[in-house]
Amino acid sequence: MSDVKEAAKNKPESASKASVKVEKQSPTCIYLGPNLPGGRLLQSTVFRGGIPEYLKPLLEDLPDVEELIVPVDIISEVQERIGKTGTAEYVAYQTILKGEN
């Protein structure tokens, strides 16, 4: 009987470890802004496991770019806001497009 209780105790622990691992993973994201000059970042670039380190300097130079890197599950909502004058996404897109950042 004690072996059964021990096995039952171990199952929730291993399940909770698995869920913690899933929660720590970054969602798959996509860049919805315009292509950047020199091919530094292209529209619709997909990032799995977070934004790569090599983009950190670009994000420091052009902070609006990060606003347009979004989880893939909200692509349609963000694309709609990019097309709607006055939204934060519209302003970020236009700022990047004009090179004003």
Side-chain angles (χ1 to χ4, degrees):
M1 292 286 276
S2 63
D3 290 337
V4 172
K5 288 182 183 178
E6 249 181 76
K9 286 182 184 178
N10 288 336
K11 279 189 179 181
E13 287 176 25
S14 61
S16 65
K17 286 179 185 177
S19 64
V20 168
K21 189 174 185 179
V22 170
E23 290 172 3
K24 287 184 180 182
Q25 282 184 328
S26 298
T28 300
C29 294
I30 187 167
Y31 171 64
L32 296 178
N35 292 339
L36 298 181
R40 296 187 319 176
L41 185 58
L42 301 178
Q43 187 176 50
S44 301
T45 299
V46 175
F47 303 104
R48 293 187 181 114
I51 300 170
E53 284 297 316
Y54 71 85
L55 283 181
K56 300 296 181 187
L58 173 68
L59 299 178
E60 289 174 11
D61 292 343
L62 304 170
D64 288 319
V65 168
E66 193 165 12
E67 178 129 3
L68 298 176
I69 297 175
V70 299
V72 293
D73 59 343
I74 62 167
I75 290 174
S76 59
E77 294 116 30
V78 175
Q79 285 178 323
E80 187 176 316
R81 291 192 300 260
I82 287 171
K84 190 172 185 177
T85 305
T87 63
E89 294 83 1
Y90 175 86
V91 171
Y93 190 98
Q94 293 302 317
T95 301
I96 295 167
L97 194 59
K98 295 175 184 176
E100 296 174 357
N101 212 341

